[in-house]
Amino acid sequence: MTSKPGDTAATTAVSPFDIVFGFDMETDIGSYTTFYEGVRHGTQPLLDILAEHHIPATFYWTGHAAEHNPEMVRHVQQAGHEIGCHGLLHETLGDPIFPLPNNWPVLPSEVAGRLEEATRIIHSICGEYPVSFRCPRLWGSTQVVNVLESLGYVSDASLPLYFYGEPIVPYHPSSTDWTQQGDMKLVEIPNFCDLSAPSSDPYQRDRDQWPLFRTQSALALVEKANAFIDYVSVRGHRPVLCFYFHPWEFHPMPQGGIDFGECVVTPQPFIVENCGQYALEQFNALCELLKGQGARFITAKDLASEY
């Protein structure tokens, strides 16, 4: 019988910290193209690496990505990974953190309907309702977590610690302020950053984890992860490191301008830097380094069940 991710002793409960690997399954380069080359060509190499290291992960699909790549959704599911949701499209569902030209948030009256539709699409493809969620760009909100709770979700991995700074461990949010402890059943899983690092960015994005593993190296990302582990541990908590990646990072992306007829979109160089083989090599190295430190790898759903 073929082994599934997480079948080995790599997921023992005596590990010093937990890892949630999350992959945001979306159009290439986030909101800036209509293509799915990353989903179609970057996902299988990722699955191979995860299988090699016996690591379970959570794959957060937009409804549109799932609808246009149903075989890949089922393939990821059959490989033993959790199928989560990433919204209907790669859109701003929550509170914007920084301005993006020509990228307006979804109207509050539309949020529930879009999440319901995305949930329906994913269920229709894989036969299970998703119970883990992540907002595009990590732009969540109080409204979003309340809608998720009403739909039966058990985890949300939207909170960016680089911006909010706390809470530093998974928590049950308040129904009136998603960034505060409360009594909701949903578990909010913060996305880690180096909270001890100085910042020169108005939004503290230079403290964040992404996309350090491919713009620098796996070792550079592990150094940032270790700083977070120390920060949490000295405050008496068990560290949980929630990572976020995208399948398009593991397939070569266009360099320079992308022509759409009426406009040319040119991503900042770091957005597409080292996508493809180097990213795969560094992701593999990241898995080895974290395993070597005794990490326990767990899906978002399974982590939430422990809270």
Side-chain angles (χ1 to χ4, degrees):
M1 184 174 71
T2 303
S3 64
K4 298 280 187 171
D7 281 352
T8 72
T11 56
T12 59
V14 296
S15 60
F17 59 94
D18 295 322
I19 297 287
V20 176
F21 272 166
F23 298 92
D24 297 348
M25 309 301 284
E26 61 194 38
T27 48
D28 297 342
I29 321 177
S31 303
Y32 301 107
T33 76
T34 58
F35 318 131
Y36 283 113
E37 295 303 297
V39 170
R40 292 168 184 166
H41 303 292
T43 304
Q44 184 59 57
L46 277 175
L47 293 176
D48 292 341
I49 293 172
L50 293 170
E52 178 183 350
H53 294 286
H54 303 282
I55 291 175
T58 301
F59 286 73
Y60 297 98
W61 291 83
T62 69
H64 190 271
E67 196 167 40
H68 286 77
N69 301 276
E71 298 86 359
M72 188 59 75
V73 176
R74 290 187 285 267
H75 184 53
V76 170
Q77 181 185 34
Q78 290 163 5
H81 301 288
E82 180 184 7
I83 301 298
C85 182
H86 195 44
L88 183 58
L89 303 168
H90 198 264
E91 55 203 351
T92 299
L93 294 166
D95 302 325
I97 292 176
F98 49 84
L100 281 178
N102 199 34
N103 199 296
W104 308 110
V106 169
L107 293 174
S109 60
E110 297 178 317
V111 172
R114 286 172 180 259
L115 291 180
E116 289 170 4
E117 179 63 7
T119 302
R120 183 198 67 77
I121 290 171
I122 293 169
H123 171 256
S124 71
I125 291 168
C126 70
E128 296 180 8
Y129 283 103
V131 295
S132 294
F133 187 82
R134 177 145 63 202
C135 277
R137 297 185 203 89
L138 312 184
W139 289 2
S141 72
T142 301
Q143 181 187 16
V144 167
V145 295
N146 277 282
V147 172
L148 293 175
E149 179 122 317
S150 72
L151 292 173
Y153 282 82
V154 301
S155 78
D156 177 45
S158 297
L159 188 121
L161 272 177
Y162 75 81
F163 183 75
Y164 292 103
E166 57 182 19
I168 59 175
V169 293
Y171 64 100
H172 297 278
S174 166
S175 60
T176 59
D177 183 349
W178 78 296
T179 68
Q180 300 297 315
Q181 296 268 0
D183 58 4
M184 296 183 71
K185 295 179 181 178
L186 184 82
V187 174
E188 185 66 40
I189 308 173
N191 294 275
F192 87 92
C193 71
D194 183 1
L195 289 166
S196 63
S199 175
S200 58
D201 181 82
Y203 308 103
Q204 294 84 52
R205 287 170 292 188
D206 47 2
R207 290 179 168 176
D208 194 28
Q209 57 178 278
W210 187 82
L212 198 61
F213 82 103
R214 61 173 170 81
T215 56
Q216 293 188 31
S217 67
L219 182 59
L221 179 53
V222 168
E223 290 173 354
K224 188 165 289 244
N226 286 338
F228 178 73
I229 291 170
D230 292 343
Y231 185 93
V232 175
S233 296
V234 299
R235 287 162 175 79
H237 302 291
R238 178 181 173 86
V240 175
L241 288 84
C242 187
F243 288 77
Y244 64 102
F245 308 97
H246 314 85
W248 53 265
E249 296 184 84
F250 301 96
H251 183 70
M253 287 290 106
Q255 305 294 307
I258 304 167
D259 191 346
F260 288 97
E262 291 187 352
C263 69
V264 174
V265 175
T266 305
Q268 293 285 355
F270 81 91
I271 296 291
V272 294
E273 181 179 354
N274 294 330
C275 288
Q277 187 59 39
Y278 181 79
L280 286 166
E281 292 169 358
Q282 293 306 306
F283 180 71
N284 183 63
L286 177 67
C287 295
E288 293 178 347
L289 289 165
L290 293 172
K291 283 178 63 179
Q293 293 184 191
R296 180 181 70 149
F297 294 88
I298 189 170
T299 64
K301 176 179 68 174
D302 288 343
L303 182 76
S305 71
E306 298 182 354
Y307 283 76

